[in-house]
Amino acid sequence: NEIYNNDLLVDVDDYHYGSGIMLMMNIAPIEVINNHIHDNGQIDPSFQGSAIGCQYCTSQVTIQSNQLLDNEGDNALMLSYSSPFVQQNTIINPGASTGIYFGSSYSGQALNVFNNIIARHAHYNIFGAMTSMISTSVTMMQNTLADASIGMHLESSPGLGSFIILFSNGIVSGHDETGISSSGPLTLLISDTLFNNNLADGVTGTNPLAGDPKFKSPTSYNYHLNRDSQAIDRLASGLGLDIDGDTEAPAGGAPGA
């Protein structure tokens, strides 16, 4: 499907979430797959999820292989009290403050974010805020964060639940301020991630890597890797598939980007 040119209005929409798609309180599986969601806006910048809003959604929600491009507002993908499976999406919205926002959790939340390209947002590619008493765990593997002010910022306040973030086998490149930063009491575990051309890398974790990922054409939103990329064969994650659903293989046997 193509979903575009939608706006939220303050006197019509009670929740002010989800200009393109709004998911709320699912009681059965929902799949949002292979959609082009673009140029949706928000009249009030405090509204969230200009492409997709997701509130009180369980792990039975799958958001996969979508193109979330050129949406505006506070953030493009909003995940509140939600733990969907977010995989293989391209999320590039220069007119939005944040690419993915997650925060406010429910008991047992375990959010998985795999194999996404998240780039060119005005402030944060990913912003996570711990705002409840409930423990939260988030696993992010093989994501590309590129060309924003800050790649990922996480924050929490004293006295809240535990906040555990795992970020591994990713690329963090081209950020004007910081690659990855955090504040407040939380556990941030980063490993096997390539950092390149950030003003400051920030938190790099264990086994940080350096090198140019050699994106094909960032200005035309193509963040696939050229064959001479220094990320190739260095960021194996165990997921088995890349953002296009191709099997990961050594460079000599790869089908090409």
Side-chain angles (χ1 to χ4, degrees), residues 215-234:
F215 299 127
K216 280 186 171 290
S217 180
T219 56
S220 59
Y221 295 4
N222 187 347
Y223 281 84
H224 287 79
L225 307 180
N226 279 298
R227 291 188 178 273
D228 59 345
S229 168
Q230 295 179 48
I232 291 176
D233 291 345
R234 300 178 72 194

Side-chain angles (χ1 to χ4, degrees), residues 78-129:
M78 184 278 293
L79 310 174
S80 177
Y81 294 97
S82 297
S83 56
F85 188 68
V86 180
Q87 174 174 277
Q88 296 172 317
N89 302 283
T90 298
I91 304 173
I92 303 177
N93 306 273
S97 176
T98 301
I100 297 178
Y101 166 86
F102 61 84
S104 300
S105 59
Y106 62 85
S107 180
Q109 177 172 327
L111 173 63
N112 293 303
V113 180
F114 298 153
N115 254 328
N116 301 279
I117 292 172
I118 310 153
R120 306 184 77 85
H121 297 92
H123 294 108
Y124 308 98
N125 281 321
I126 297 178
F127 184 89

Side-chain angles (χ1 to χ4, degrees), residues 168-187:
S168 67
N169 309 91
I171 297 173
V172 181
S173 176
H175 295 96
D176 296 335
E177 297 181 23
T178 310
I180 298 177
S181 62
S182 66
S183 63
L186 54 87
T187 300

Side-chain angles (χ1 to χ4, degrees), residues 29-45:
I30 296 174
E31 294 182 339
V32 180
I33 299 176
N34 285 330
N35 302 284
H36 184 195
I37 306 173
H38 65 95
D39 293 290
N40 299 288
Q42 295 168 319
I43 303 302
D44 185 328

Side-chain angles (χ1 to χ4, degrees), residues 129-135 155-163 185:
M130 186 65 186
T131 59
S132 69
M133 302 298 293
I134 305 300
S135 299
E155 63 182 40
S156 66
S157 300
L160 300 178
S162 63
F163 196 26

Side-chain angles (χ1 to χ4, degrees), residues 15-93:
Y15 289 97
H16 317 306
Y17 299 144
S19 298
I21 293 176
M22 180 61 197
L23 308 173
M24 178 176 283
M25 299 180 181
N26 69 297
I27 57 173
I30 296 174
E31 294 182 339
V32 180
I33 299 176
N34 285 330
N35 302 284
H36 184 195
I37 306 173
H38 65 95
D39 293 290
N40 299 288
Q42 295 168 319
I43 303 302
D44 185 328
S46 67
F47 295 170
Q48 301 186 51
S50 58
I52 300 176
C54 195
Q55 190 171 39
Y56 299 108
C57 291
T58 70
S59 58
Q60 293 186 90
V61 171
T62 298
I63 300 172
Q64 180 175 338
S65 300
N66 300 285
Q67 304 287 313
L68 277 55
L69 305 179
D70 294 318
N71 300 282
E72 298 185 352
D74 195 43
N75 48 64
L77 174 58
M78 184 278 293
L79 310 174
S80 177
Y81 294 97
S82 297
S83 56
F85 188 68
V86 180
Q87 174 174 277
Q88 296 172 317
N89 302 283
T90 298
I91 304 173
I92 303 177
N93 306 273

